[in-house]
Amino acid sequence: MCSSFDDSERADGALDASPVRRVLWNVRSCEVASIVCPTCGAARHAVCRTLWDRPTTALHRGRTLRYVKMRFALDLIEPHERPVRHRAGPVLSGVGLKTTRAPHAQPWRLPMPELADLVSVSFLDLAKVVTAHACGLQRTGLDELLFGPDRIQQSIDALTYAMHDRQIRREVLVLSGVHREEAEALAAQERAVRERLRDAERCLKEQRIADLTHAGVLPFPAATDDPRRLARSWLGRYLPHEKEELVRRMAADAGVPPSATVHIRSISQKVTRCIDNGWLLAPVTGPVRELLELDGPAFRGRVVADAAQQDARDDALCHPLVLNRWRDQLTEFLAEAAPRADNPHIRHLHDLTLTRQPRNATQLNHLRGHRRLFAALLQRRAESIRLITTLNDGMSLAERRDPSYELLKEAGDHAYDELVRRHPDLYRHIRTRLARYESRYGRLELTVPRGHLRARVYEELDRMRPAHPVSPAHG
């Protein structure tokens, strides 16, 4: 298995001075849109869209790859079903004709429209370009192409791959004691790529904060120090079913549709509601439904098969209903793979050259394969976390933009008031327990963690209501 990770070891190799060759084909965005998107279900000539109504390729790369496969009669078997085979493309009649295109040695020299299409189709070519850019390549429009809002996540993914690739190759050279100059060159490229990766991640974070702040999601409101509001909140958490029923009834009276009042208890329910309300274009297609039904070992196999490929990826894993399971499986597999990769943790790829433990050529080749697998799993986990973050942000923005959002807030506020009216003894008990922490009238200064104090209060409320079952919020 690990050998498959070595095939692309030098796919985004050093910045050589090879003569420029023209690519044998060119793909335009409008051509890609001429087929139905297999991920989001966008119709022919319709643009794939995110929750924010912006085009993206992060969740919809399947459309581009599907188009390329159809146009050039490539292997249409899904990556997780494709057996590993190492063979060159058969030569056709005619000078220089092959069934696969020759990779461009220096894709960053292509005309900008052609380069834009190439990096949308080929991840390894994107990795070459972002590496050259990190190492000092300057070109008009390149910054916007690589790190604009529609491609920054893919470029971060490519920089992560390039950083791991340089590190592993440098480690092998240093530990084998040969090619010292090449190891130093790889170290310089690794440092440049790592620095550019950190800059891109910081830029993405700043843009995310700006978007959420503009929408009113950030900054999050500070925890209330008003004992009246906190007592109402704790009473609502203590009686969740009664509160939800009140919210549904009051929201219905205000004209809110029933689909918007369903209480969300898991991320899958939240995603399903967003899909049902039309906030999220992520239909549960046959491949997605099949993936959701897989047992543990089968799902693990899909995750490993996806990590083994950089250009051909399993797009069903990016479906919003699968993202959390994908991330959790990657974390679990990383913990298992870390000892074989000689990595002391699963946070990042540890530098083996710091130990200077001598290894022979056989050991190095074996270790290199395991470390490439480990690096690929780290890369995929980082991608899954970025997609989960984007998804959660998008769902929060979609909820706030829906007309029912303010109506639901008002219904929730009225529901708390109604709970206080129905259960004055419980409310008074909570207020009494909070009173000892009031620094002045109407202001709290808690000296114990809120969670611990709340748990103790709920235990007391349970004893006050022996005829009722233990509160779900406490039990």
Side-chain angles (χ1 to χ4, degrees), residues 145-302:
L145 171 65
L146 297 179
F147 301 102
D150 295 332
R151 192 172 277 116
I152 185 171
Q153 294 210 34
Q154 296 94 300
S155 294
I156 288 175
D157 189 40
L159 285 166
T160 304
Y161 165 80
M163 178 183 68
H164 290 159
D165 175 75
R166 294 324 190 268
Q167 177 177 337
I168 294 172
R169 288 162 56 186
R170 173 181 59 82
E171 290 172 345
V172 171
L173 293 178
V174 171
L175 294 176
S176 62
V178 298
H179 303 296
R180 186 166 183 172
E181 291 183 358
E182 185 178 349
E184 292 176 355
L186 287 171
Q189 290 186 20
E190 181 188 342
R191 287 192 299 270
V193 170
R194 190 184 303 274
E195 182 178 351
R196 191 67 190 88
L197 173 61
R198 300 295 173 257
D199 290 342
E201 290 175 336
R202 187 162 48 250
C203 179
L204 181 62
K205 182 178 179 179
E206 291 172 354
Q207 184 58 51
R208 177 190 175 224
I209 292 174
D211 289 340
L212 295 177
T213 302
H214 178 72
V217 178
L218 293 178
F220 292 125
T224 181
D225 62 352
D226 185 334
R228 292 160 297 187
R229 296 192 62 84
L230 187 59
R232 286 196 332 154
S233 172
W234 285 8
L235 182 60
R237 291 184 63 169
Y238 183 73
L239 303 170
H241 298 308
E242 187 174 351
K243 188 201 75 172
E244 292 166 21
E245 181 59 35
L246 286 170
V247 171
R248 279 195 292 268
R249 178 170 60 78
M250 294 177 177
D253 292 342
V256 177
S259 61
T261 62
V262 176
H263 187 71
I264 302 302
R265 301 186 183 277
S266 67
I267 186 62
S268 61
Q269 290 180 345
K270 187 173 184 179
V271 171
T272 301
R273 185 181 70 169
C274 286
I275 294 175
D276 293 343
N277 289 345
W279 301 338
L280 173 61
L281 297 177
V284 183
T285 59
V288 173
R289 193 175 297 107
E290 175 187 328
L291 190 61
L292 290 170
E293 295 172 354
L294 289 181
D295 58 14
F299 186 80
R300 176 193 176 103
R302 289 282 290 268

Side-chain angles (χ1 to χ4, degrees), residues 429-447:
H429 182 79
I430 299 175
R431 284 295 309 273
T432 301
R433 291 289 277 112
L434 292 175
R436 68 185 66 176
Y437 298 101
E438 291 187 29
S439 58
R440 64 184 192 277
Y441 180 75
R443 287 295 175 264
L444 288 171
E445 191 172 325
L446 297 179
T447 57

